Amino acid sequence: MLIDFHAHVQDDDEGTRADEMVREARRIGIDYIGISEPVTHSRDSLEIVQRQNDLVFRTYERHPDFFIPLVYTHANLGQAALDEVHKGFDRGARGIKMEVATVITDKCVEPIIEEAIARDVALLQHSWHKVTGNYPFETDGVHCAEIGRRYPELKLVMAHISGDNRWGIRAIRDVPSVYTDCSGSIADYGHIEYCVEQLGADRLLWGTDARGADFLYTLAKVRDSHLSDEAKAKVLGLNAAKLLKVV
Ligand SMILES: [Zn+2]
């Protein structure tokens, strides 16, 4: 089972990009792709959230046997943010995605977290630790760790190993309920093996961040690593299958 837990399509009106992505992913052997369509720097716009979600659900409806949608929201929009999440689940969402509209520890995120817990779905949170300083409202691994401690029943996924492998791994190492994904172009020497050594194979999910990163490049980081076959199977698909309830 090969599941890309973290990707984006940004399809056009004709469905060209979705079709192309499905073709290429199937050629490589990918069984499912979890998709969302977040945007950066638009925290006050409900319209953008709705437009991006409409895009992701149209892509899902075009290839319902292949794409697994995550509904995207800006928690700072209050009830409207929660309404958008409800609408997303009505259209088939199997998880929630948040990016940089709010830091996950902000009070306004609590209803979204509680919704994820009540529905028993994954909450995928963009996380990055930048040497140049984070964007305003951008979540870091330490924020994910704090939420994981506060809500141990939440299935929280800290995206990108927080952008800085050693920082991100250290941040969540002693919070066993928090998962991470290795999506994106980050590829320090030995970081996949280090991540599994520190967190265990049950907490790492393979993701690409396509279209922003290449399928084969990101796949090779795990498939051709020094992990055991059992650990590779978990990271490449079995862990995501549990979180996304793929049977
Ligand atoms: Zn992403």
Side-chain angles (χ1 to χ4, degrees):
M1 177 79 75
L2 189 53
I3 301 177
D4 177 355
F5 186 78
H6 181 153
H8 317 288
V9 179
Q10 284 292 325
D11 208 359
D12 54 26
D13 289 340
E14 287 74 43
T16 314
R17 290 177 183 169
D19 294 352
E20 180 191 296
M21 185 179 274
V22 171
R23 218 171 23 247
E24 178 64 2
R26 288 206 163 121
R27 184 185 73 80
I28 292 165
I30 297 171
D31 297 295
Y32 300 98
I33 299 183
I35 52 165
S36 58
E37 299 292 3
V39 288
T40 312
H41 310 307
S42 62
R43 70 189 302 265
D44 297 322
S45 175
L46 176 63
E47 194 185 354
I48 285 179
V49 172
Q50 291 174 330
R51 193 180 69 207
Q52 296 300 95
N53 279 328
D54 191 53
L55 190 58
V56 85
F57 288 108
R58 275 194 283 125
T59 300
Y60 163 60
E61 285 153 14
R62 190 170 175 86
H63 296 281
D65 298 331
F66 188 77
F67 289 118
I68 298 175
L70 283 77
V71 61
Y72 165 62
T73 201
H74 290 170
N76 57 302
L77 297 174
Q79 185 60 43
L82 196 56
D83 291 345
E84 195 61 20
V85 168
H86 292 155
K87 274 166 46 189
F89 283 105
D90 290 344
R91 289 183 76 173
R94 281 196 251 171
I96 302 171
K97 172 74 197 284
M98 295 195 301
E99 205 179 65
V100 299
T102 43
V103 176
I104 194 170
T105 50
D106 286 355
K107 177 97 179 138
C108 65
V109 185
E110 287 174 10
I112 307 296
I113 291 171
E114 284 160 13
E115 186 72 16
I117 292 169
R119 289 182 183 268
D120 191 31
V121 296
L123 176 59
L124 173 58
Q125 172 64 64
H126 163 88
S127 305
W128 211 275
H129 180 69
K130 296 182 175 71
V131 292
T132 49
N134 278 17
Y135 295 130
F137 310 109
E138 186 173 26
T139 296
D140 192 325
V142 293
H143 301 121
C144 289
E146 184 181 331
I147 289 300
R149 288 190 189 96
R150 205 186 303 167
Y151 298 94
E153 67 275 50
L154 174 66
K155 292 174 172 170
L156 175 61
V157 181
M158 176 187 76
H160 313 302
I161 324 182
S162 203
D164 176 329
N165 298 300
R166 287 178 186 271
W167 174 274
I169 290 164
R170 272 198 292 273
I172 62 165
R173 187 165 46 191
D174 64 345
V175 192
S177 61
V178 180
Y179 299 78
T180 190
D181 79 45
C182 57
S183 69
S185 57
I186 48 174
D188 295 347
Y189 184 82
H191 81 280
I192 295 294
E193 291 85 348
Y194 180 70
C195 189
V196 169
E197 178 196 307
Q198 295 293 314
L199 305 183
D202 295 321
R203 294 172 62 193
L204 178 61
L205 306 161
W206 175 62
T208 61
D209 219 9
R211 304 170 57 92
D214 181 72
F215 281 136
L216 287 173
Y217 164 76
T218 50
L219 176 59
K221 293 194 294 190
V222 178
R223 190 191 56 193
D224 300 332
S225 69
H226 293 287
L227 298 184
S228 69
D229 289 345
E230 187 189 359
K232 283 181 190 175
K234 286 180 175 179
V235 173
L236 289 172
L238 297 181
N239 295 340
K242 276 188 199 163
L243 279 184
L244 298 170
K245 301 185 176 76
V246 173
V247 287

